[in-house]
Amino acid sequence: MTRIGIESAFEVLVKARALEKQGRSVIHLEIGEPDFPTPANVVEAGQRALGQGWTKYGPTQGDPELREVIAAYISRTRGIQVGPERVCVVPGGKPIMFFTMMALLEPGDEVVYPNPGFPIYESMINFLGATPVPIPLIEERGFSFDLNTFEARLSDRTKMVILVSPANPTGGLVPAEDIRRLAELLRHRDVIVLSDEIYSRIIYDGDPVSIASFEGMLDKTIILDGFSKTYSMTGWRLGYGVMPTWIAEAVVKLMVNSNSCTASATQRAGIEALTGPQDAVTAMVAEFRLRRDAIVHGLNQIPGFRCALPAGAFYAFPNVSGTGMPSKELADLLLYEAGVACLNGGAFGAHGEGYIRFSYANSLANIQEALSRIQKASERWARSVSS
Ligand code: PMP
């Protein structure tokens, strides 16, 4: 247990709630969940399912109808051909990480993964005794990586490569050409790619590209996706992986030893989410775009902050090295002095130091208020430095 990590978003949320209990006002830009309600048609489908008796255990691998729907959806959106035998439905996107890494990794195996990145990747690599091989993400490349560095980090011991695009915490996108070249590098290697595509529907410029769609990659790739972000369903706990059947068999075993199955009525709601009208998703992404433009513009007005325009997800990841403060200190100051909850970039790995993550899954009015609070706080710290 000393090797397993945590996710700081949940920690900061607890601190922010404690401040609110003391009567302080806090704007929440820390937690990565859409602030929109789950679309009404999806809620109704869930309620209907409960009324119809979808209240019992179901198949461990997932509701067969939902698995069909997911296989068709992934085939259509990724330009590949997959059947339901490759689909495992689990309670959220995270369990796909947990189960597939647990199934595949052993001490001595190397895992190449993005840094800064979603903290659970590194946590699980360390927990399982595998060797973390971080790939630095580069601000000037839209927070993608350098392919030569990537190639240099691959070795005979590389068992898994983790990709995420669009990414948390940077909002960055891996360019399609880089994914193609990466596929060429990996095609003949004995590696598995864990491709975290949970933000694939939240892209502002360009289309999602899955490494699974390149020649020879389908049987090496685990696509991780789910309902949390796209359909504002974080609390329903519904996600899935699409993977080679030999890995699916391992995931089913781990599921039967842990959850037995994913909640039955939740899965019926998932069928409606994927097959029903998609206008709530379109409206959500349009609103996120407005907020992205507002927060990036506002952050760039603050002395010491430099913020690139994220291409996807709902995170802004400004470089704050110009403030002269370590990012943990700055994140604490913003929470305790300005009442703006955000995350220290260093919590996403060593290469996140010097950055702060703001989730802009909050109203435009709250984002404007947060920006004005940060601006005022920055005037105070500028005065204290000069005096
Ligand atoms: N992958 C990434 C990159 C994420 O940011 C998150 C959620 N923050 C997840 C996976 C997990 O999603 P879920 O809540 O569905 O488990």
Side-chain angles (χ1 to χ4, degrees):
M1 292 316 296
T2 58
R3 292 202 302 257
I4 199 162
I6 48 132
E7 194 181 340
S8 69
F10 288 94
E11 264 196 349
V12 175
L13 181 66
V14 169
K15 285 193 210 163
R17 292 251 187 271
L19 283 178
E20 286 174 314
K21 238 180 152 181
Q22 294 165 17
R24 295 276 306 278
S25 149
V26 177
I27 298 178
H28 291 272
L29 303 183
E30 77 282 41
I31 196 90
E33 77 177 341
D35 54 318
F36 302 93
T38 304
N41 60 312
V42 179
V43 173
E44 281 156 23
Q47 287 168 333
R48 209 166 40 245
L50 287 170
Q52 288 168 344
W54 292 92
T55 53
K56 304 287 166 93
Y57 291 134
T60 298
Q61 196 169 347
D63 180 315
E65 210 178 314
L66 176 59
R67 284 170 49 223
E68 287 278 0
V69 164
I70 290 169
Y73 168 76
I74 289 292
S75 298
R76 191 174 71 243
T77 52
R78 275 49 169 200
I80 53 180
Q81 262 315 314
V82 290
E85 69 287 351
R86 286 182 183 251
V87 179
C88 293
V89 180
V90 293
K94 253 183 192 169
I96 289 296
M97 261 169 235
F98 191 87
F99 292 144
T100 58
M101 292 175 85
M102 191 177 257
L104 296 169
L105 299 180
E106 287 175 9
D109 291 340
E110 292 180 359
V111 183
V112 178
Y113 66 105
N115 185 314
F118 189 50
I120 305 306
Y121 309 143
E122 197 169 85
S123 163
M124 285 303 295
I125 296 166
N126 288 329
F127 180 50
L128 296 164
T131 306
V133 183
I135 292 287
L137 300 184
I138 303 162
E139 186 182 342
E140 294 72 27
R141 301 206 75 229
F143 289 109
S144 190
F145 42 75
D146 174 68
L147 260 178
N148 294 326
T149 312
F150 210 112
E151 187 170 11
R153 303 280 161 94
L154 296 171
S155 84
D156 291 345
R157 302 188 125 194
T158 310
K159 172 73 86 55
M160 180 180 271
V161 166
I162 302 179
L163 290 183
V164 52
S165 181
N168 176 8
T170 62
L173 211 59
V174 182
E177 177 56 17
D178 284 5
I179 298 186
R180 187 188 64 75
R181 288 175 57 201
L182 197 57
E184 261 163 31
L185 282 179
L186 299 176
R187 183 176 306 148
H188 300 296
R189 286 180 167 266
D190 188 16
V191 297
I192 293 293
V193 179
L194 174 58
S195 181
D196 187 340
E197 302 179 12
I198 197 117
Y199 295 106
S200 61
R201 295 280 291 276
I202 309 174
I203 295 188
Y204 308 106
D205 307 292
D207 292 314
V209 175
S210 175
I211 193 161
S213 64
F214 293 94
E215 192 196 328
M217 291 309 293
L218 186 57
D219 284 329
K220 289 185 187 298
T221 305
I222 300 159
I223 296 176
L224 178 159
D225 204 338
F227 297 77
S228 298
K229 318 286 174 177
T230 307
Y231 300 101
S232 288
M233 290 177 74
T234 45
W236 293 70
R237 307 313 298 137
L238 186 60
Y240 56 88
V242 180
M243 61 198 83
T245 49
W246 63 274
I247 305 177
E249 281 163 21
V251 169
V252 169
K253 277 191 193 161
L254 290 167
M255 267 294 279
V256 90
N257 277 270
S258 52
N259 295 291
S260 294
C261 64
T262 305
S264 299
T266 295
Q267 296 189 71
R268 303 307 291 178
I271 296 174
E272 173 62 23
L274 285 179
T275 58
Q278 302 294 302
D279 25 318
V281 184
T282 312
M284 178 181 78
V285 176
E287 180 62 27
F288 277 152
R289 180 193 289 274
L290 295 177
R291 297 171 182 184
R292 171 192 72 156
D293 294 349
I295 196 167
V296 169
H297 175 77
L299 288 172
N300 278 320
Q301 311 302 310
I302 295 166
F305 281 58
R306 178 182 73 216
C307 189
L309 193 69
F314 39 74
Y315 306 112
F317 201 60
N319 183 321
V320 294
S321 49
T323 63
M325 267 182 262
S327 44
K328 166 92 174 68
E329 199 180 302
L330 180 59
D332 281 345
L333 192 137
L334 291 179
L335 174 61
Y336 290 105
E337 286 194 18
V340 176
C342 56
L343 301 183
N344 154 32
F348 295 91
H351 295 282
E353 179 51 46
Y355 296 85
I356 293 273
R357 190 192 84 170
F358 293 98
S359 159
Y360 51 86
N362 205 326
S363 67
L364 260 180
N366 280 342
I367 288 169
Q368 296 297 6
E369 172 61 20
L371 287 166
S372 111
R373 290 182 185 190
I374 301 169
Q375 179 76 44
K376 282 197 199 108
S378 81
E379 286 158 17
R380 279 199 301 276
W381 75 61
R383 270 200 303 277
S384 73
V385 168
S386 63
S387 60

